[in-house]
Amino acid sequence: MLEPDFWPTPSPPAAFAERRRRLAARLDGPALIAAGESRPRNFQGNRFPFRADSHFAYLVGSAAEGAFEGAVLLIDPTRATLYAHPPEPGAALWTGPAPSLDELAARLELRVRPFEELRAPPNAAVLPPQETETALVLGELLDRDVEPGGGPALTGADAALADAMIALRLIHDEAAIAQLREAAEVTARAHRAGMARTRPGLREAQVRAAMEAEIIACGMSCSYGSIVSVHGEVLHNERHDGLVAAGELLLADVGAETPEGWAGDVTRAWPVSGRFTATQRALYEHLLAAQLAAIGAVRPGVRYLEVHRAAGKRLLEGLIAEGIFRGELDGLYERGAAALFFPHGVGHLLGLDVHDLEDLGDRAGYAPGRSRSEAPGDRYLRLDRELEPGMAVTIEPGFYRIDALLSDPARVGSLEPDLDRDALARFSDVRGIRIEDDVLVTERGAEVLTAAIPKRVAELEASVGG
Ligand code: GLY
Ligand code: MN
Ligand code: MN
């Protein structure tokens, strides 16, 4: 490890009790919140790691606690009860002693009963679970169809429960912010370790390993599949077998997740050799200016769409300055010029998930009455609300040379005469860069939770190769 030891701090039981109380106060009737199950791989005993559903983790605690597998929290206006499966005596041989339900109750400061005692009120509301098994269990408990995530639009009490959870989880409480800070700190360690490990001749997997080693050693896990690639233009690149060569930029999108499930989500791009070329540096500086413009726009009351546009327009200004586009900024932006190189939204909600609350679709990300824009530059935006203190968002503009977009007449369309392909060809050593930070909206503006991670050109150059 590069730095002194770090270990995560658990939130106090009172923080979860307060969340349960606030949820109950928003509900007219009972609700069931399911933890979900781990999925088996090739047989029942060989399973993917358990990670509780985020709504459950928000209200009960530790996301990876095995005792929560298959558990259901019943919240009614007067009290909350966790129905959990008592540890099987034979399982201790394989997985060690597990807490009894009484021990769990004492630790959580919550009433805990055996799952078989659960008599679900027939009018209980539920949220769409992620897997079919849990949907079937809830359907049986309630004697009605429960669709897994991605099913039809929510109605009635289920919709009211979703809206109540969204209202709570959009604005982070003190315990949540403490968790996000810890996720940010460990994410920062991972990125510094990745920069230090980088040198020509490695494979991407070796840099990824250095980054994830830091996260694991700090008692955390990854909040999503790491992207560590010299092909930054592949937005969610899952390959790590490429060689890291001098002259290339390496993009790393890696985040730590606390044991309670809170996420970091950060991207940096740095030169493998430790020095940006003049062309890499020019585009990197424009992208950084775009990212800083977007962060500068974050404050209470500002519509996130405007933060997105601030980034797109500043990037486009840079592309015009480099001669890649010819013409007038606003007109080019409205016609989708920025989106040709920055074909995604400027960010998303961050919290218990890297794309927080997206299990509830645009119901969470979009203010009531709003829906996705048809405009080419705005249609991939995952969040379009007015920002409020306590919200956490990512700010992550990118610049990508994606041949599939640039050679598609349907995408380039009327922009072809404005695009100078010879000027663009000068930047052939930039495939894809993204700069992503985690930002907390404050009363006065914004706090960048991940500010400790090198981002300026000089800082990055000083950090590569140790
Ligand atoms: N790491 C996924 C994202 O940035 O959205
Ligand atoms: Mn992100
Ligand atoms: Mn990311």
Side-chain angles (χ1 to χ4, degrees):
M1 295 194 58
L2 293 174
E3 299 171 45
D5 289 349
F6 173 97
W7 203 248
T9 318
S11 302
F16 299 98
E18 174 63 8
R19 290 174 185 164
R20 294 190 294 267
R21 191 196 63 70
R22 292 175 61 214
L23 177 63
R26 287 178 170 268
L27 297 179
D28 290 331
L32 294 179
I33 312 283
E37 313 261 357
S38 66
R39 281 200 308 117
R41 292 170 68 124
N42 63 323
F43 71 102
Q44 286 300 323
N46 184 22
R47 304 180 80 84
F48 288 100
F50 171 70
R51 199 277 192 192
D53 180 274
S54 294
H55 301 291
F56 180 94
Y58 184 77
L59 297 166
V60 178
S62 186
E65 168 85 53
F68 294 156
E69 268 212 74
V72 171
L73 179 72
L74 170 61
I75 293 213
D76 68 28
T78 53
R79 74 172 171 188
T81 308
L82 178 66
Y83 290 90
H85 296 280
E88 283 176 34
L93 172 65
W94 305 100
T95 51
S100 69
L101 298 191
D102 287 344
E103 286 164 344
L104 209 52
R107 173 148 61 84
L108 300 171
E109 300 176 15
L110 169 66
R111 186 168 178 264
V112 181
R113 301 300 307 160
F115 189 85
E116 62 188 23
E117 286 184 15
L118 173 54
R119 302 285 171 268
N123 61 337
V126 293
L127 297 165
Q130 290 309 299
E131 6 84 42
T132 318
E133 288 82 352
T134 302
L136 290 173
V137 170
L138 291 174
E140 242 169 64
L141 284 168
L142 296 173
D143 196 22
R144 65 175 167 102
D145 282 343
V146 174
E147 298 278 344
L154 300 176
T155 54
D158 294 350
L161 172 60
D163 289 340
M165 284 303 298
I166 290 168
L168 289 188
R169 287 183 52 191
L170 269 181
I171 310 297
H172 296 307
D173 58 26
E174 205 180 304
I177 292 170
Q179 290 285 312
L180 289 172
R181 287 189 196 287
E182 291 204 344
E185 177 167 352
V186 174
T187 300
R189 287 168 175 247
H191 278 264
R192 287 194 292 262
M195 291 168 196
R197 180 74 180 98
T198 300
R199 65 210 62 202
L202 298 183
R203 283 198 192 269
E204 294 157 344
Q206 290 170 282
V207 180
R208 174 192 174 197
M211 300 182 78
E212 295 191 2
E214 204 72 21
I215 291 173
I216 294 165
C218 291
M220 295 202 186
S221 53
C222 293
S223 42
Y224 51 91
S226 300
I227 301 165
V228 181
S229 178
V230 291
H231 282 283
E233 79 282 12
V234 182
L235 298 183
H236 283 177
N237 198 336
E238 292 175 350
R239 298 186 62 160
H240 300 101
D241 54 345
L243 281 170
V244 172
E248 291 188 310
L249 293 175
L250 182 67
L251 179 149
D253 184 349
V254 175
E257 176 175 303
T258 74
E260 285 173 27
W262 295 84
D265 180 15
V266 167
T267 308
R268 291 290 186 266
W270 57 80
V272 170
S273 65
R275 286 285 170 273
F276 285 87
T277 65
T279 41
Q280 290 168 344
R281 181 182 177 129
L283 283 186
Y284 186 91
E285 296 278 24
H286 291 306
L287 184 63
L288 181 57
Q291 202 233 13
L292 295 174
I295 291 173
V298 171
R299 63 184 163 277
V302 168
R303 187 172 170 179
Y304 192 69
L305 176 66
E306 295 308 324
V307 176
H308 171 73
R309 289 187 172 157
K313 286 194 178 175
R314 179 59 189 82
L315 177 64
L316 187 54
E317 211 178 301
L319 300 184
I320 294 170
E322 297 301 335
I324 293 173
F325 276 114
R326 286 178 290 254
E328 180 266 327
L329 178 68
D330 287 329
L332 282 170
Y333 185 83
E334 295 309 326
R335 288 163 54 221
L340 203 52
F341 294 98
F342 168 29
H344 58 74
V346 77
H348 47 80
L349 290 167
L350 182 74
L352 266 163
D353 281 297
V354 62
H355 287 193
D356 205 29
L357 291 164
E358 283 192 20
D359 56 318
L360 300 173
D362 284 348
R363 188 177 199 103
Y366 276 64
R370 274 185 199 151
S371 57
R372 298 241 175 178
S373 161
E374 293 292 313
D378 301 335
R379 71 167 65 130
Y380 295 111
L381 197 55
R382 296 167 177 279
L383 173 63
D384 188 11
R385 284 182 175 268
E386 274 69 23
L387 298 172
E388 294 178 58
M391 280 185 180
V393 296
T394 65
I395 300 291
E396 50 176 306
F399 170 89
Y400 315 92
R401 279 191 313 109
I402 303 174
D403 287 339
L405 292 191
L406 292 166
S407 61
D408 179 359
R411 297 296 293 255
V412 180
S414 70
L415 290 164
E416 188 61 54
D418 310 298
L419 177 64
D420 185 332
R421 290 186 182 267
D422 292 332
L424 178 62
R426 286 198 295 118
F427 296 91
S428 61
D429 61 358
V430 183
R431 294 193 189 118
I433 43 179
R434 179 165 62 252
I435 308 174
E436 174 174 30
D437 278 302
D438 301 344
V439 175
L440 179 68
V441 184
T442 63
E443 295 289 342
R444 280 176 304 175
E447 178 188 346
V448 180
L449 299 175
T450 46
I453 307 177
K455 176 162 83 168
R456 307 251 173 212
V457 163
E459 293 168 346
L460 287 169
E461 290 187 342
S463 305
V464 173

